[in-house]
Amino acid sequence: MNYRFLFLLLSCSISFGQNYSRQDSLRGQITAERAWWDLQHYQLDVTVDIDDQSISGSNIITYKVLKNGDRLQLDLQEPMRIEKVVQDGKELEWTSEGITHFVKLRKKMKPGKEEQIKVFFSGKPRIAKNPPWDGGFVFTQDSNGKAFVANANQGIGASIWWPNKDHPYDEPDQGTVISVTTPKDLMDVSNGRLIKVDSTATTKTWTWQVVNPINNYGINVNIGDYVHFREIHEGEKGNLDVDYYVLRENEAKARKQFEQTTGMLAAFEYWFGPYPFYNGFKLVEAPYLGMEHKSSVTYGNGYKNGYRGYDLSGSGWGMKFDFIIIHEAGHEWFANNITTTDVADLWVHEGFTAYSENLYLDYHFGANAAADYVVGTRKIIMNDKPIIGTYGVREEGSSDMYYKGANMLHTLRQLIEDDLQWRGILRGLNEDFRHQTVSSKQVEDYISKATGKDLSAFFNQYLRTTMIPKLEVKMAGNKLSYRYTNIVDDFDMPVIAMLNDTEKWIFPSSEWKTEELDLDLKFFAVKRDFYVDYELIAN
């Protein structure tokens, strides 16, 4: 099996372009028309016409005024369209530039005040060609001929189907209410808690409430002939409701496969801290592989272990867990609890979450199993471009953000040499940045401060270049000489060397160093837990 091909399927859509347009800037920057207002709440009300594959509805946007402003930027992508915008009972005018819409308010807002606008919209949303990577809506049917509908739009943006402030830096501080009207014989499952169901002769409206900040790409609609079952996870902060919504035809398989869920929650609460949204966790069957929608994680891995039945690492350990349950739920801590302010820094989501697969194995099967797995994923790494993308133009970095990111973090764990401290750092990130948006730099600085080490060169090496540090080594009797090549300035990461049958820390830099040892050198290797290359050079 071509694991690299599998991983390319796994990756989110990545833009490789270097010529950026004004539309790229309007989408990727915190423009003047975004900066003056702070998002507080969305109240999203939509009707999904399944036969017509269309959506209509409204979004009440509540915001706090930070400074004077009278022009407000919203995003909504074609072929969806804004029908009207209303504030204080009066319709407002707007102008459009591509997917960006500038709403002209009737007056300049006063700083400190809370205001609302209501945006009415309709249209046929883009149909996803290869969800979740090529984003949009999926309209399909289950085996009983009933409609099975969902959205997945991380890469392309939430504005593919509803009008919003489509930039990750600003999340609704007070959460979101999502109401979805479906045919009466179907159910919608969205984020948060179900707070009411309204019925007519032909429809039902399902209203869900999210009480914490939520990234807009994580807001989801899932419509199907669902059955529901529940269990309780006895977690760090008490009892957590764990709800499952699966197609009627798959209930028996789901009850068996989803037994992994509480073990996942136990592992991640141990490593990352309490589940960040104790008002409930859900797994929801979807007509695509799956995604990390907050508190409504979607699942489509076929009720089998591995990634679509395969082990991405080739180690065997990847078949010990259902990839989608473990990976997508790991995003509840890294992506949903902590969200990056720019998609250029998505490694914070994907690198830590790919690493969570390793930590799940560590918790349940031990450190050697975890190391086998994460080291095995190195075959997937392409080093095609840096992990961190270009800021301000909505460009992600390399798909290496997943497993190069995971191997970087596994290496960092070795450097810290104290698993209690490492665990404390992972938990501290989730506590100190709880429900916040952050930059890569903030995460890097936090880890440097927590370890008492200046890790700037370490992060620059792995995140901002495609170079893998290379250790050149010479052996002559009892003399060992070594230096790094292929490194950034000031990179001097120590590694554990395997010398004959013993382990020894060595401290390479860009300059040759020579040590005299109490043994006749026959064998040299770098311990596999360090993501570096090495080469033996003849004297």
Side-chain angles (χ1 to χ4, degrees), residues 71-284:
R71 212 164 80 116
L72 180 149
Q73 178 178 337
L74 296 177
D75 301 287
L76 182 65
Q77 300 181 41
E78 294 180 343
M80 299 299 294
R81 62 187 180 274
I82 294 176
E83 301 289 353
K84 63 179 177 179
V85 184
V86 176
Q87 186 169 46
D88 299 330
K90 297 178 181 178
E91 288 194 30
L92 303 178
E93 295 180 352
W94 72 91
T95 58
S96 299
E97 188 173 345
I99 73 165
T100 303
H101 311 280
F102 298 102
V103 179
K104 184 70 171 71
L105 306 178
R106 290 181 174 271
K107 59 183 179 181
K108 284 197 173 182
M109 302 288 103
K110 294 182 179 179
K113 278 197 71 177
E114 200 167 90
E115 301 280 357
Q116 286 184 341
I117 60 170
K118 187 172 185 178
V119 186
F120 295 84
F121 62 100
S122 65
K124 293 188 176 185
R126 171 174 168 161
I127 302 300
K129 296 177 182 177
N130 184 28
W133 306 282
D134 178 75
F137 255 75
V138 180
F139 290 89
T140 187
Q141 294 181 336
D142 64 20
S143 64
N144 296 315
K146 292 205 168 186
F148 192 22
V149 179
N151 69 292
N153 48 249
Q154 178 179 8
I156 198 167
S159 58
I160 195 68
W161 66 280
W162 60 287
N164 60 83
K165 192 177 193 178
D166 202 1
H167 193 290
Y169 89 99
D170 194 8
E171 298 179 350
D173 297 341
Q174 299 167 20
T176 300
V177 170
I178 308 149
S179 297
V180 181
T181 299
T182 71
K184 66 177 182 180
D185 61 337
L186 299 175
M187 181 179 190
D188 169 71
V189 184
S190 293
N191 315 81
R193 287 273 193 181
L194 183 64
I195 58 174
K196 67 174 180 173
V197 181
D198 297 313
S199 300
T200 70
T202 59
T203 67
K204 285 186 177 179
T205 299
W206 308 82
T207 299
W208 300 81
Q209 183 179 38
V210 176
V211 297
N212 311 115
I214 181 171
N215 52 54
N216 58 5
Y217 77 79
I219 293 175
N220 71 341
V221 168
N222 302 283
I223 298 171
D225 182 23
Y226 287 120
V227 294
H228 169 229
F229 57 99
R230 169 183 288 181
E231 62 181 320
I232 303 297
H233 169 63
E234 296 180 2
E236 286 195 17
K237 296 182 73 173
N239 289 341
L240 172 68
D241 290 340
V242 180
D243 291 283
Y244 306 106
Y245 294 86
V246 301
L247 292 182
R248 191 171 304 278
E249 64 207 58
N250 291 328
E251 181 179 359
K253 289 187 286 188
R255 285 184 179 273
K256 177 65 176 174
Q257 190 71 1
F258 290 176
E259 289 176 358
Q260 299 181 35
T261 305
T262 54
M264 171 275 297
L265 289 167
F268 291 165
E269 286 204 319
Y270 173 83
W271 283 108
F272 299 148
Y275 178 66
F277 315 106
Y278 249 77
N279 55 330
F281 172 83
K282 299 193 294 293
L283 270 180
V284 186

Side-chain angles (χ1 to χ4, degrees), residues 395-428:
E395 182 178 326
E396 303 168 9
S398 170
S399 59
D400 285 345
M401 68 177 78
Y402 289 78
Y403 291 110
K404 185 177 178 182
N407 275 279
M408 178 190 75
L409 293 170
H410 183 65
T411 299
L412 184 55
R413 178 182 180 180
Q414 316 311 310
L415 296 177
I416 290 173
E417 290 189 275
D418 184 339
D419 279 353
L420 284 178
Q421 184 184 20
W422 181 230
R423 179 179 167 224
I425 289 169
L426 297 173
R427 292 171 66 94

